[in-house]
Amino acid sequence: MLEIKGVIFDLDGVITDTAEFHFLAWKQLGEELGIPVSREFNEHLKGISRMESLEKILESGDKASSYTMDEKLELAVRKNGYYRQLIDSIAPKDILPGVEALLQGLRQGGIRTGLASASHNAPFILDKLGLLHYFDVIVDPGKIRSGKPDPEIFQTAAKMLQLSPNTCIGIEDAAAGVEAINSAGMYSVGVGDRIILSHANYVVESLLGLRLQDLG
Ligand code: B16
Ligand code: MG
């Protein structure tokens, strides 16, 4: 069995499902720009930063060079405004199954916890869900130079927890996130589809199915 001292969580898709809200917000912006954004396309935006997502959307509409950097920043702010309106009603009922019990178990077991989300809205969302107090550290994605699949965000979380990566588990729902955890030298747990997450050390359908003693 692994000697686990820390567990580092992704947010969107692991703790709560905000993908639909990101989709609706990008779709609204896309309509304003004359670029259709489908639910299927949105799958490729999971775990990807706001600016990178915008670039992908503009590329898909052949408009990558139609805007200046300032205009792109304005578009990203506009999308975030739509997103914030949509997530304003998030509440503890939106916590995904098994998450709170796992966080409670980690607290009781003295295992440290961190959040490695690409979302700048993560502290706001954790607060709305009533889960903020379970986290010892939250990485500020604004300070991360390379997004997932680069390991930087998970490595930073381990450093903030003062733990060696090989004593940490990372939990992710996106393939890019699993790759980031593996490259950081941590044990990876994927939540969701076994085929999409085939590179994870361990896959569960939901966190209801995760027992730390089964890992390793
Ligand atoms: P924001 P995660 C990611 O969160 C989302 O999966 C991705 O769709 C989003 O673009 C990104 O956060 C940035 O979010 O616009 O709120 O800063 O999966 O890394 O928790
Ligand atoms: Mg995610």
Side-chain angles (χ1 to χ4, degrees):
M1 207 183 106
L2 281 167
E3 192 208 0
I4 302 162
K5 293 187 176 167
V7 178
I8 300 169
F9 291 80
D10 173 48
L11 176 77
D12 292 335
V14 170
I15 290 175
T16 189
D17 196 0
T18 47
E20 181 70 12
F21 298 139
H22 280 296
F23 165 62
L24 294 171
W26 283 125
K27 189 165 165 281
Q28 164 89 39
L29 184 76
E31 275 162 18
E32 291 163 11
L33 305 180
I35 304 173
V37 178
S38 67
R39 204 171 244 117
E40 198 191 14
F41 186 80
N42 188 60
E43 284 299 305
H44 302 293
L45 306 179
K46 284 188 178 175
I48 305 293
S49 76
R50 198 182 306 163
M51 283 309 281
E52 269 182 88
S53 302
L54 175 65
E55 292 290 354
K56 280 182 189 270
I57 288 167
L58 293 178
E59 270 166 36
S60 79
D62 251 343
K63 294 197 171 169
S65 40
S66 308
Y67 300 93
T68 64
M69 199 35 159
D70 280 353
E71 286 168 339
K72 285 181 187 176
L73 288 172
E74 186 277 316
L75 294 177
V77 168
R78 211 197 295 174
K79 179 267 174 177
N80 195 50
Y82 301 144
Y83 180 66
R84 288 292 286 238
Q85 271 172 20
L86 291 164
I87 59 173
D88 203 48
S89 57
I90 278 188
K93 64 169 175 36
D94 299 306
I95 300 171
L96 286 172
V99 172
E100 194 156 13
L102 175 61
L103 287 166
Q104 276 165 359
L106 295 174
R107 264 282 168 271
Q108 280 157 11
I111 294 172
R112 314 222 339 120
T113 50
L115 192 83
S117 166
S119 175
H120 286 81
N121 294 297
F124 172 82
I125 293 171
L126 283 183
D127 191 31
K128 284 258 173 197
L129 295 173
L131 297 178
L132 199 51
H133 63 102
Y134 284 113
F135 287 86
D136 296 313
V137 302
I138 295 176
V139 179
D140 173 1
K143 298 208 169 112
I144 299 299
R145 275 157 304 179
S146 312
K148 300 167 191 175
D150 191 282
E152 187 182 354
I153 194 163
F154 283 95
Q155 286 167 334
T156 305
K159 229 177 254 165
M160 289 167 75
L161 290 170
Q162 297 181 304
L163 292 176
S164 157
N166 63 8
T167 60
C168 295
I169 291 176
I171 308 183
E172 261 287 349
D173 68 311
V178 166
E179 234 182 289
I181 296 169
N182 291 344
S183 309
M186 296 177 188
Y187 187 93
S188 54
V189 173
V191 186
D193 189 297
R194 234 161 251 288
I195 295 168
I196 296 173
L197 304 170
S198 62
H199 290 117
N201 294 121
Y202 194 81
V203 180
V204 284
E205 259 173 46
S206 90
L207 286 181
L208 270 182
L210 183 67
R211 293 170 358 130
L212 293 189
Q213 55 269 38
D214 292 343
L215 308 181

